[in-house]
Amino acid sequence: TSPTSAHRITEVRFFVHYDALSEFNGSLTSPGCDFSRVVNAPWTDGAGRLHPAGQSWNDLRASLIEAHADGLTPVVSIAGYPGPTARPAWDQPAPDPTTVAGDWELRCGVRGILSAISRLPAADQPHTWEAFNEPDAVPVYNGPGEIGPGACAVSAAGSPGVDGAAKAACAYALIAAGIHDYPGHSGDTVIAGTLSNPSLPYLSAYAAQLTSMAPGTAYPSTWSVHDYGDVTRSYAGIDVSGLRAFDLALRTDTAGRATDLWVTESGTDLTDQQPDARCGQPPQVPPILGACVNGRPARQALDAQAFFALPEAGVAVPVTHLFWYEWQGEVNWDSGLTDAAGAPRVGWCEFYGSGVCGGSPSVPPGPAPVTP
């Protein structure tokens, strides 16, 4: 945020679990909302990590307060649980909005989050949301194909014929309505999509399902996507072709109603598992994209330059916002601007425009740096 920075940071993105505060009471005859179990009790994930009671809400509350103190605008992404080992034993990765239980789970979750946020000072409260983070990476929302106007009908057993992209669109509509109906949030921006990668088939199905159910005034104009591949692959030269194809499809699939595209996650992913054999890795190293840049600071600097070139992909729908994920690298996912010890990497210096960035260019514990 320094005035001397080459690229000023103005916004910051946070996550909150859909059931961080409130959950469905479990009754099909007298449905309602209860305080969420994750508010009242700690839980341990499959990797043995302890999550204190109220962790997701406490993290969000502290982050919103700090964002205001730093003069940053918060963007809140409602999230599920990423997999079977990273969630409480009683929870699903994401609710099925075509079931009574899933419908109420999402309604209660949104209401609980907004109710808690309403108790913060007005200046700390967020007004920009992503309805659901990476729905295409969650089993219940995964899969191609749109169904039509009746796809979001709710029943006790749900709609088994409604597949992933349609259910994700149903979840978006439900969450957006819950946010806009809450006092003080009728004008909030609720971003659609938030796909884990620029997938054209998933976008087509998701957008078509929204078209079948949303009137023109309710149709989302702001969309988001995550794009690590274009940036990480740019070690060999800037290549934003994946995002450009998505951008062109977004205009077509939304019939021109999408007015802006946000890239809410991107960066150099040193742990990327996508195949990429171009970088001449030795035989003992799997030919994956992350290995092409891990331990190679010069290549990581080129990737950071490609990050700032992503708006060039906005040939049909303007790419208006870029978010680098993540701030500090970890063992299982490392796209950090700083290394595991917090030392700035070369990407940080690309943001700032100068400085000394001697942080480790490798995934911890990582191999020794090699000559680019």
Side-chain angles (χ1 to χ4, degrees):
T1 58
S2 164
T4 58
S5 175
H7 300 280
R8 299 292 297 279
I9 297 173
T10 59
E11 292 167 294
V12 60
R13 178 171 173 263
F14 304 123
F15 296 102
V16 63
H17 285 132
Y18 67 86
D19 63 347
L21 287 142
S22 183
E23 66 181 9
F24 173 48
N25 65 8
S27 173
L28 297 181
T29 55
S30 299
C33 305
D34 284 338
F35 282 113
S36 176
R37 280 166 284 181
V38 296
V39 170
N40 294 317
W43 57 279
T44 301
D45 64 26
R49 294 169 296 197
L50 176 66
H51 298 264
Q55 181 184 44
S56 185
W57 163 241
N58 289 333
D59 283 352
L60 178 62
R61 176 179 56 189
S63 297
L64 291 172
I65 294 169
E66 185 66 24
H68 177 224
D70 289 341
L72 299 172
T73 300
V75 177
V76 177
S77 188
I78 297 173
Y81 295 91
T85 63
R87 58 181 171 89
W90 61 81
D91 251 330
Q92 296 298 314
D96 181 344
T98 70
T99 66
V100 173
D103 176 81
W104 272 94
E105 193 75 22
L106 288 173
R107 292 178 188 274
C108 291
V110 170
R111 191 180 308 164
I113 293 166
L114 287 165
S115 177
I117 282 173
S118 71
R119 291 165 171 78
L120 295 174
D124 292 345
Q125 297 182 29
H127 294 283
T128 303
W129 306 80
E130 287 182 309
F132 204 91
N133 181 59
E134 298 190 345
D136 52 326
V138 177
V140 71
Y141 301 152
N142 193 290
E146 73 280 358
I147 303 300
C152 298
V154 176
S155 65
S159 303
V162 181
D163 61 15
K167 288 185 178 180
C170 296
Y172 169 83
L174 184 61
I175 292 169
I179 292 172
H180 288 146
D181 290 344
Y182 199 88
H185 293 272
S186 60
D188 284 13
T189 297
V190 184
I191 302 170
T194 321
L195 307 187
S196 64
N197 62 82
S199 168
L200 303 189
Y202 197 96
L203 169 65
S204 176
Y206 183 104
Q209 178 56 40
L210 284 180
T211 297
S212 75
M213 57 189 288
T217 54
Y219 197 87
S221 58
T222 301
W223 292 65
S224 67
V225 70
H226 299 165
D227 185 14
Y228 294 97
D230 281 338
V231 169
T232 307
R233 278 192 298 270
S234 288
Y235 69 86
I238 292 177
D239 179 3
V240 297
S241 57
L243 185 61
R244 181 176 292 114
F246 185 89
D247 183 82
L248 288 166
L250 181 61
R251 180 180 63 181
T252 301
D253 292 341
T254 64
R257 285 177 287 183
T259 61
D260 54 315
L261 175 61
W262 296 25
V263 181
T264 50
E265 287 188 27
S266 187
T268 300
D269 181 4
L270 306 183
T271 48
D272 197 316
Q273 299 298 302
Q274 298 180 67
D276 192 321
R278 296 175 300 165
C279 58
Q281 301 155 30
Q284 69 270 20
V285 177
I288 54 177
L289 184 54
C292 298
V293 291
N294 185 38
R296 299 173 181 259
R299 290 184 174 186
Q300 293 170 27
L302 291 172
D303 281 358
Q305 293 168 23
F307 171 80
F308 293 110
L310 288 176
E312 296 174 9
V315 293
V317 179
V319 176
T320 60
H321 293 67
L322 301 178
F323 293 76
W324 184 287
Y325 185 90
E326 59 196 329
W327 185 260
Q328 188 170 21
E330 301 176 276
V331 173
N332 295 323
W333 180 284
D334 191 345
S335 56
L337 282 176
T338 69
D339 64 17
R345 286 172 166 162
V346 293
W348 192 94
C349 280
E350 292 294 332
F351 266 83
Y352 192 72
S354 62
V356 177
C357 292
S360 170
S362 304
V363 177
V370 298
T371 303

